[in-house]
Amino acid sequence: MKPLRSFVFLSLLLIAGSLLVGCDGKEGDGHSKEADHAEDDGHGHDEESPSGASFKAGKGVSVTDETRKILGLEVADVTEANLARSIRFTAQVYAASRNQHASVANPPAQTLLASGLVAPAQAALVTAGMAVSFSAPSGANAEGVVKEVHSSLALGDAEIDIILSETGALKSGDFVQGTITLPRAEAVTVIPKSALLRTTEGTFVYAVNGTAYFRTAVKVGAENSDRVEITDGLLAGDQVVTTPVQTLWLIELRAVKGGGHSH
């Protein structure tokens, strides 16, 4: 199908999703009056919207094969992997003299250091000698190693001092984003990051539920550029939708909320 046709179809899909529930339908159960009549007539099936997508509470979002292809809907297995944990924090670069006894005529050599605050629980995982990578808003990158970890300060955070070994274009006074990657021996439950749906109500995934896709609450742990740890809500062997998660969410919202109408 040509891209323009796919775009038009997707637009119609989102608009038609509001037809899943009329203003006189029952809120929250994902059914219109017509769908209720269909179940009452003994056929035992849901009313399908003209868009090829439907929603049923307790079951999830269902789409036809044609709609699945047009949306480019893809799923992935929930797996286990040794996903490294990362501690991210903001640090400020500053200069320190290497030779405190240098004369004015022979100024002391300067070395760049950085200092940042992290939560005590994270600081407890950091030890001297760990590698730290930095990135600045300007795009400059730098590398360093942990010099010292100070105990919790008055505000409750702990301070980490880092010696910069490769400074790039950084200079004293710069604020940078620091990352410490922690090794991990044990395997944890992981999914592609694209499967996550972050909303004001919480963090979810659309898990495969038979022929439907059911929105499932999850708790997340460590993350990297493409995968995220799931600490609760899924098990290895489950399957989740990786794309288009937002579209499934819109279909469900229009079904439950009636396309924005008041009930």
Side-chain angles (χ1 to χ4, degrees):
M1 180 172 293
K2 295 181 178 180
L4 179 59
R5 185 180 174 189
S6 299
F7 174 78
V8 173
F9 187 91
L10 179 56
S11 299
L12 292 175
L13 170 65
L14 298 179
I15 295 172
S18 63
L19 300 177
L20 290 169
V21 176
C23 288
D24 296 328
K26 298 179 180 179
E27 183 178 2
D29 62 2
H31 292 78
S32 63
K33 284 188 175 181
E34 290 78 3
D36 292 335
H37 292 324
E39 293 182 346
D40 292 339
D41 66 9
H43 294 298
H45 61 272
D46 298 331
E47 181 81 0
E48 186 176 286
S49 83
S51 66
S54 60
F55 172 80
K56 181 176 181 180
K59 181 180 179 181
V61 177
S62 298
V63 297
T64 64
D65 289 340
E66 181 181 4
T67 300
R68 184 181 296 107
K69 292 178 181 178
I70 292 173
L71 294 178
L73 194 149
E74 297 180 359
V75 301
D77 293 332
V78 178
T79 60
E80 291 187 344
N82 298 73
L83 187 66
R85 291 170 291 182
S86 296
I87 297 176
R88 294 181 174 86
F89 59 98
T90 300
Q92 185 174 21
V93 178
Y94 65 97
S97 298
R98 294 178 185 173
N99 181 8
Q100 299 295 334
H101 302 290
S103 64
V104 175
N106 183 24
Q110 299 285 312
T111 184
L112 289 181
L113 295 90
S115 178
L117 300 178
V118 300
Q122 292 181 317
L125 303 173
V126 179
T127 58
M130 283 186 171
V132 187
S133 60
F134 291 102
S135 60
S138 63
N141 297 313
E143 301 294 330
V145 294
V146 175
K147 176 185 178 184
E148 188 175 1
V149 180
H150 301 281
S151 58
S152 298
L153 305 177
L155 297 178
D157 288 331
E159 184 178 16
I160 298 179
D161 289 334
I162 302 101
I163 300 175
L164 298 181
S165 53
E166 296 181 14
T167 60
L170 299 183
K171 61 184 183 300
S172 180
D174 285 348
F175 284 92
V176 292
Q177 184 68 33
T179 301
I180 300 175
T181 301
L182 304 175
R184 198 171 203 167
E186 75 280 7
V188 295
T189 303
V190 298
I191 63 171
K193 187 179 289 188
S194 61
L196 282 185
L197 174 70
R198 300 184 192 269
T199 75
T200 55
E201 299 176 6
T203 303
F204 304 89
V205 298
Y206 273 94
V208 174
N209 181 30
T211 58
Y213 308 102
F214 185 74
R215 183 164 56 91
T216 304
V218 295
K219 294 181 180 180
V220 302
E223 299 182 28
N224 62 20
S225 60
D226 58 354
R227 293 187 298 176
V228 59
E229 174 189 3
I230 301 296
T231 60
D232 188 46
L234 293 171
L235 296 173
D238 292 337
Q239 289 187 310
V240 294
V241 175
T242 57
T243 185
V245 177
Q246 289 288 343
T247 300
L248 297 185
W249 175 227
L250 289 175
I251 292 171
E252 180 177 343
L253 279 180
R254 290 184 181 278
V256 174
K257 305 296 183 182
H261 297 293
S262 300
H263 293 269

